Amino acid sequence: MSTETLEAPVVETVKMNGLQAINAALSEAMEADPKVLVLGEDIADNEGGGVCGVTRGLSTKFGTSRVRSTPISEQAIMGAAIGVAMAGYKPVAEIMLMNFTTVAMDMIVNHAAKLRFMSGGQSQVPLVIRTMTGGGNQTAGQHADFYEAWFAHTAGIKVVIPWTPGDMKGLYLSAIQDPDPVIIIESVKTLFVPMDTPVNQGPIPLGKANVVVPGSDLTIVSYGQMMFTVMQAVEELAAAGVSVEVVDLRTISPWDKETVLASAEKTGRLLVVHEAGRNFGPGAEIAATAQEVLFGKLKAPVGRLGAPYCAVPFAKKLEDAYLVQPPEIVAEVKRLMAI
């Protein structure tokens, strides 16, 4: 038997930001399946290819019958998307900002999410909802909220929040092929940061977390643009001799209990960090589950960090105070480790 060390295959990468990754995913999906459609406000090329340019080039390539600019009506966008999904198409519907999903909540929660169940499995709604949000850009209280907990409370819809461009592409490819509704929440900051991305990035299964950094002293679970903040804190902690394992949740519902709990059991400590409000946020569900399953195995109570019970402020100093910052994460880790 050969004793030679097997080297991991070299993965060819390219610098790509989130906008480019989503565009590539949509283009590949539309090339592979003529049933994939895209609709939303100002998404055609003659209107700029979307507010951030995500769909730029797609209407020229696939035509305006498959890349449809819509009126400024979230209810109309969702109603049309649900209808064509039930007719056998695979629409990707853009709601420009997450706060605007409130206008279409009836369509999303009472129709898209429940039609399969209420039809006894006779109807499917293979629908992807794209939306964008996030603090740090002074867009204030009606343009920057993370409402993933709302949708995670709704049976029948998957909730995804990617961080890296590679994950964005892979998760979009999987979401478009899913037979049920998926809402993908794009964190604003993640869209513009170039990162090494596999050239041939394929689908990434929904519901699977990613252990980004291995560690032994404590586990931090986070997702979306808050991962940038977490990584800054982890770098500082590493310099102080603290080994933190970082888990990027990627999918909020269904969340990857197996990966999170295995990591927390290994390190003995768990901290959940998200930009959404701490009160009743996803971290509460993760913390409660960890306490139930790992009771007696953890070395400290589960920690949670999130936004205060407040609207997202416009003023820069107030917004900075509202968002979780690296020093808060460092302080909480040290508290949980009693150092």
Side-chain angles (χ1 to χ4, degrees):
M1 182 181 292
S2 173
T3 58
E4 293 181 5
T5 302
L6 296 177
E7 295 184 1
V10 177
V11 177
E12 185 181 357
T13 62
V14 63
K15 285 288 185 183
M16 181 182 289
N17 64 25
L19 300 174
Q20 295 166 316
I22 300 167
N23 183 284
L26 294 174
S27 183
E28 286 185 22
M30 294 180 79
E31 283 180 349
D33 188 345
K35 293 288 189 180
V36 178
L37 311 174
V38 182
L39 65 158
E41 298 167 14
D42 303 329
I43 66 169
D45 288 337
N46 64 346
E47 296 172 301
V51 65
C52 292
V54 167
T55 53
R56 192 167 293 153
L58 296 183
S59 68
T60 300
K61 186 175 183 179
F62 298 103
T64 54
S65 63
R66 295 182 66 195
V67 182
R68 286 186 171 268
S69 286
T70 67
I72 302 174
S73 173
E74 287 76 18
Q75 287 178 312
I77 294 168
M78 290 312 308
I82 293 167
V84 296
M86 294 180 69
Y89 288 86
K90 298 174 182 177
V92 180
E94 178 185 326
I95 302 295
M96 189 181 295
L97 292 167
M98 191 165 198
N99 286 75
F100 302 164
T101 60
T102 57
V103 183
M105 285 295 277
D106 178 54
M107 290 289 183
I108 298 170
V109 172
N110 283 327
H111 296 270
K114 296 178 180 176
L115 282 169
R116 175 196 279 272
F117 179 80
M118 296 183 72
S119 68
Q122 296 179 75
S123 296
Q124 293 185 346
V125 188
L127 161 67
V128 175
I129 303 168
R130 286 189 54 228
T131 194
M132 176 176 64
T133 194
N137 302 287
Q138 291 185 271
T139 52
Q142 295 175 330
H143 299 81
D145 285 299
F146 272 92
Y147 288 141
E148 64 268 29
W150 285 2
F151 296 102
H153 275 290
T154 303
I157 187 167
K158 298 179 177 69
V159 184
V160 175
I161 307 183
W163 171 41
T164 68
D167 285 351
M168 288 183 194
K169 183 180 179 185
L171 291 165
Y172 260 100
L173 290 173
S174 291
I176 290 169
Q177 297 306 318
D178 198 275
D180 294 309
V182 180
I183 182 167
I184 301 184
I185 303 164
E186 301 161 11
S187 305
V188 175
K189 289 183 179 179
T190 65
L191 297 176
F192 300 95
V193 179
M195 301 175 75
D196 288 330
T197 304
V199 171
N200 297 315
Q201 177 66 63
I204 294 173
L206 304 180
K208 291 294 182 182
N210 183 31
V211 179
V212 178
V213 179
S216 58
D217 292 328
L218 178 142
T219 297
I220 294 180
V221 173
S222 191
Y223 51 85
Q225 66 186 33
M226 189 52 64
M227 284 292 296
F228 290 122
T229 307
V230 166
M231 296 303 284
Q232 290 180 49
V234 168
E235 186 175 344
E236 181 179 337
L237 288 162
V242 180
S243 176
V244 176
E245 182 149 296
V246 180
V247 179
D248 179 5
L249 201 57
R250 301 197 292 199
T251 302
I252 312 306
S253 180
W255 64 283
D256 188 351
K257 296 179 185 178
E258 182 179 350
T259 296
V260 171
L261 296 177
S263 177
E265 183 173 7
K266 181 184 78 170
T267 65
R269 302 176 182 90
L270 174 62
L271 171 61
V272 189
V273 185
H274 51 61
E275 187 171 328
R278 184 181 186 277
N279 289 12
F280 305 98
E285 172 64 21
I286 296 169
T289 301
Q291 294 282 180
E292 290 170 357
V293 177
L294 301 177
F295 185 75
K297 297 180 180 179
L298 296 176
K299 301 172 184 176
V302 179
R304 290 187 291 140
L305 290 175
Y309 196 53
C310 171
V312 182
F314 170 75
K316 181 71 168 67
K317 288 186 177 180
L318 291 176
E319 186 181 43
D320 288 345
Y322 172 88
L323 297 170
V324 176
Q325 302 293 346
E328 295 175 67
I329 298 174
V330 171
E332 182 67 2
V333 168
K334 290 182 176 180
R335 186 187 71 82
L336 293 172
M337 294 189 62
I339 58 176

